[in-house]
Short mmCIF file of all heavy atoms in Angstrom, two decimals:
data_model
loop_
_atom_site.label_atom_id
_atom_site.label_comp_id
_atom_site.label_asym_id
_atom_site.label_seq_id
_atom_site.Cartn_x
_atom_site.Cartn_y
_atom_site.Cartn_z
N PRO A 266 10.33 -17.63 47.05
CA PRO A 266 9.25 -18.40 47.93
C PRO A 266 7.81 -17.88 47.71
O PRO A 266 7.65 -16.61 47.64
CB PRO A 266 9.73 -18.11 49.33
CG PRO A 266 10.58 -16.85 49.29
CD PRO A 266 11.04 -16.83 47.85
N GLU A 267 6.86 -18.73 47.76
CA GLU A 267 5.42 -18.20 47.63
C GLU A 267 5.17 -17.59 49.00
O GLU A 267 5.50 -18.05 50.08
CB GLU A 267 4.44 -19.36 47.39
CG GLU A 267 4.59 -19.82 46.02
CD GLU A 267 3.49 -20.83 45.55
OE1 GLU A 267 2.66 -21.14 46.47
OE2 GLU A 267 3.55 -21.32 44.34
N TYR A 268 4.26 -16.61 48.90
CA TYR A 268 4.09 -15.96 50.31
C TYR A 268 2.55 -15.57 50.45
O TYR A 268 2.30 -15.07 51.46
CB TYR A 268 4.94 -14.78 50.64
CG TYR A 268 4.82 -13.65 49.75
CD1 TYR A 268 4.15 -12.56 50.14
CD2 TYR A 268 5.46 -13.54 48.50
CE1 TYR A 268 3.94 -11.34 49.42
CE2 TYR A 268 5.41 -12.64 47.71
CZ TYR A 268 4.71 -11.44 48.10
OH TYR A 268 4.50 -10.28 47.27
N MET A 269 1.70 -15.79 49.38
CA MET A 269 0.47 -15.41 49.63
C MET A 269 -0.61 -16.51 49.64
O MET A 269 -0.23 -17.58 49.00
CB MET A 269 -0.12 -14.43 48.35
CG MET A 269 0.61 -13.25 48.15
SD MET A 269 0.68 -12.10 49.48
CE MET A 269 -1.01 -11.94 50.01
N GLU A 270 -1.63 -16.33 50.24
CA GLU A 270 -2.63 -17.34 50.37
C GLU A 270 -3.95 -16.79 49.89
O GLU A 270 -4.26 -15.74 50.47
CB GLU A 270 -2.72 -17.82 51.92
CG GLU A 270 -3.04 -19.16 52.14
CD GLU A 270 -2.75 -19.56 53.56
OE1 GLU A 270 -3.09 -18.62 54.44
OE2 GLU A 270 -2.23 -20.51 53.87
N VAL A 271 -4.62 -17.45 48.99
CA VAL A 271 -5.91 -16.89 48.44
C VAL A 271 -7.05 -17.84 48.82
O VAL A 271 -6.88 -19.08 48.46
CB VAL A 271 -5.82 -16.54 47.05
CG1 VAL A 271 -7.03 -16.00 46.49
CG2 VAL A 271 -4.58 -15.73 46.73
N GLN A 272 -8.01 -17.24 49.43
CA GLN A 272 -9.20 -18.29 49.75
C GLN A 272 -10.43 -17.58 49.08
O GLN A 272 -10.65 -16.40 49.37
CB GLN A 272 -9.28 -18.41 51.20
CG GLN A 272 -8.40 -19.41 51.85
CD GLN A 272 -8.39 -19.33 53.36
OE1 GLN A 272 -9.06 -18.46 53.90
NE2 GLN A 272 -7.52 -20.16 53.94
N PHE A 273 -11.09 -18.45 48.45
CA PHE A 273 -12.46 -17.97 47.89
C PHE A 273 -13.49 -18.03 49.06
O PHE A 273 -13.47 -18.93 49.78
CB PHE A 273 -12.84 -18.84 46.76
CG PHE A 273 -12.17 -18.45 45.65
CD1 PHE A 273 -10.97 -19.15 45.06
CD2 PHE A 273 -12.57 -17.54 44.68
CE1 PHE A 273 -10.21 -18.82 44.00
CE2 PHE A 273 -11.89 -17.10 43.49
CZ PHE A 273 -10.79 -17.79 43.14
N GLN A 274 -14.32 -16.99 49.04
CA GLN A 274 -15.46 -17.03 49.99
C GLN A 274 -16.79 -17.11 49.19
O GLN A 274 -16.90 -17.69 48.30
CB GLN A 274 -15.33 -15.75 50.86
CG GLN A 274 -13.96 -15.76 51.52
CD GLN A 274 -13.60 -14.43 52.23
OE1 GLN A 274 -14.18 -13.37 51.88
NE2 GLN A 274 -12.81 -14.51 53.34
N ASP A 275 -17.72 -16.24 49.75
CA ASP A 275 -18.97 -16.35 49.11
C ASP A 275 -19.13 -15.25 47.98
O ASP A 275 -18.14 -14.52 47.61
CB ASP A 275 -19.97 -15.97 50.16
CG ASP A 275 -19.73 -14.83 50.96
OD1 ASP A 275 -19.26 -13.78 50.35
OD2 ASP A 275 -19.84 -14.81 52.22
N SER A 276 -20.25 -14.99 47.37
CA SER A 276 -20.40 -13.97 46.39
C SER A 276 -21.34 -12.75 46.89
O SER A 276 -22.04 -12.24 46.05
CB SER A 276 -20.87 -14.60 45.10
OG SER A 276 -22.06 -15.38 45.31
N HIS A 277 -21.52 -12.70 48.12
CA HIS A 277 -22.42 -11.60 48.64
C HIS A 277 -21.63 -10.50 49.17
O HIS A 277 -20.63 -10.68 49.84
CB HIS A 277 -23.33 -12.16 49.79
CG HIS A 277 -23.96 -13.45 49.38
ND1 HIS A 277 -24.86 -13.56 48.45
CD2 HIS A 277 -23.78 -14.76 49.98
CE1 HIS A 277 -25.26 -14.78 48.29
NE2 HIS A 277 -24.56 -15.58 49.12
N GLY A 278 -22.12 -9.42 48.85
CA GLY A 278 -21.56 -8.13 49.54
C GLY A 278 -21.06 -7.15 48.44
O GLY A 278 -21.33 -7.31 47.38
N GLU A 279 -20.44 -6.12 48.99
CA GLU A 279 -20.09 -4.90 48.23
C GLU A 279 -18.55 -4.93 48.15
O GLU A 279 -17.87 -5.17 49.00
CB GLU A 279 -20.50 -3.62 48.79
CG GLU A 279 -22.03 -3.49 48.94
CD GLU A 279 -22.42 -2.48 47.70
OE1 GLU A 279 -21.67 -1.42 47.59
OE2 GLU A 279 -23.47 -2.75 47.10
N ASN A 280 -18.07 -4.54 46.94
CA ASN A 280 -16.64 -4.22 46.87
C ASN A 280 -16.30 -2.95 47.57
O ASN A 280 -17.17 -2.08 47.62
CB ASN A 280 -16.20 -4.15 45.38
CG ASN A 280 -16.04 -5.62 44.87
OD1 ASN A 280 -15.17 -6.39 45.36
ND2 ASN A 280 -16.54 -5.93 43.68
N PRO A 281 -14.94 -2.89 48.05
CA PRO A 281 -14.65 -1.68 48.71
C PRO A 281 -14.80 -0.47 47.76
O PRO A 281 -14.74 -0.54 46.53
CB PRO A 281 -13.18 -1.80 49.05
CG PRO A 281 -12.74 -3.10 48.31
CD PRO A 281 -13.92 -3.86 47.86
N HIS A 282 -14.68 0.75 48.35
CA HIS A 282 -14.71 1.97 47.56
C HIS A 282 -13.39 2.22 46.99
O HIS A 282 -12.36 1.73 47.69
CB HIS A 282 -15.05 3.18 48.48
CG HIS A 282 -15.40 4.30 47.77
ND1 HIS A 282 -14.58 5.34 47.36
CD2 HIS A 282 -16.66 4.82 47.24
CE1 HIS A 282 -15.15 6.25 46.74
NE2 HIS A 282 -16.41 5.91 46.66
N LEU A 283 -13.25 2.81 45.86
CA LEU A 283 -11.92 3.01 45.15
C LEU A 283 -10.97 3.81 46.04
O LEU A 283 -9.79 3.64 46.01
CB LEU A 283 -12.14 3.69 43.75
CG LEU A 283 -12.84 2.83 42.81
CD1 LEU A 283 -12.94 3.59 41.44
CD2 LEU A 283 -12.12 1.54 42.58
N ALA A 284 -11.61 4.65 46.88
CA ALA A 284 -10.76 5.45 47.78
C ALA A 284 -9.93 4.53 48.76
O ALA A 284 -8.80 5.02 49.02
CB ALA A 284 -11.58 6.44 48.64
N SER A 285 -10.38 3.42 48.92
CA SER A 285 -9.54 2.60 49.92
C SER A 285 -8.27 2.07 49.20
O SER A 285 -7.33 1.50 49.92
CB SER A 285 -10.35 1.30 50.35
OG SER A 285 -10.54 0.56 49.24
N LEU A 286 -8.10 2.27 47.80
CA LEU A 286 -6.87 1.93 47.18
C LEU A 286 -5.87 2.86 47.19
O LEU A 286 -4.72 2.66 46.81
CB LEU A 286 -7.26 1.56 45.66
CG LEU A 286 -8.40 0.50 45.49
CD1 LEU A 286 -8.65 0.36 44.07
CD2 LEU A 286 -7.90 -0.83 46.02
N ILE A 287 -6.14 4.09 47.59
CA ILE A 287 -5.25 5.22 47.51
C ILE A 287 -4.65 5.43 48.99
O ILE A 287 -5.49 5.40 49.99
CB ILE A 287 -5.93 6.49 47.09
CG1 ILE A 287 -6.76 6.19 45.75
CG2 ILE A 287 -4.90 7.65 46.95
CD1 ILE A 287 -5.86 5.53 44.72
N SER A 288 -3.33 5.60 49.07
CA SER A 288 -2.78 5.64 50.38
C SER A 288 -3.41 6.45 51.43
O SER A 288 -3.65 6.12 52.54
CB SER A 288 -1.20 5.82 50.27
OG SER A 288 -1.02 7.11 49.69
N ASP A 289 -3.70 7.79 51.13
CA ASP A 289 -4.28 8.48 52.09
C ASP A 289 -5.90 8.54 52.09
O ASP A 289 -6.36 9.33 52.89
CB ASP A 289 -3.62 9.92 52.19
CG ASP A 289 -4.10 10.85 51.08
OD1 ASP A 289 -4.80 10.32 50.14
OD2 ASP A 289 -3.86 12.06 50.99
N GLY A 290 -6.30 7.76 51.13
CA GLY A 290 -7.82 7.69 51.13
C GLY A 290 -8.59 8.82 50.52
O GLY A 290 -9.88 8.74 50.53
N THR A 291 -7.96 9.89 49.98
CA THR A 291 -8.59 11.09 49.65
C THR A 291 -8.85 10.98 48.11
O THR A 291 -8.00 11.44 47.36
CB THR A 291 -7.89 12.36 50.03
OG1 THR A 291 -7.38 12.20 51.24
CG2 THR A 291 -8.83 13.54 50.00
N THR A 292 -9.98 10.53 47.64
CA THR A 292 -10.32 10.61 46.23
C THR A 292 -11.58 11.42 46.00
O THR A 292 -12.36 11.52 46.96
CB THR A 292 -10.49 9.20 45.60
OG1 THR A 292 -11.46 8.52 46.34
CG2 THR A 292 -9.22 8.47 45.61
N PHE A 293 -11.76 11.91 44.86
CA PHE A 293 -12.97 12.65 44.50
C PHE A 293 -13.66 11.96 43.30
O PHE A 293 -12.97 11.85 42.25
CB PHE A 293 -12.63 14.05 44.27
CG PHE A 293 -12.03 14.73 45.40
CD1 PHE A 293 -10.57 14.77 45.50
CD2 PHE A 293 -12.83 15.46 46.43
CE1 PHE A 293 -9.91 15.24 46.53
CE2 PHE A 293 -12.13 15.98 47.45
CZ PHE A 293 -10.69 15.97 47.59
#
Side-chain angles (χ1 to χ4, degrees):
E267 290 194 357
Y268 66 100
M269 297 309 309
E270 210 163 42
V271 181
Q272 278 168 0
F273 281 94
Q274 301 170 332
D275 48 43
S276 56
H277 310 295
E279 287 262 320
N280 273 310
H282 195 270
L283 293 181
S285 68
L286 303 175
I287 310 309
S288 59
D289 74 356
T291 322
T292 57
F293 301 89

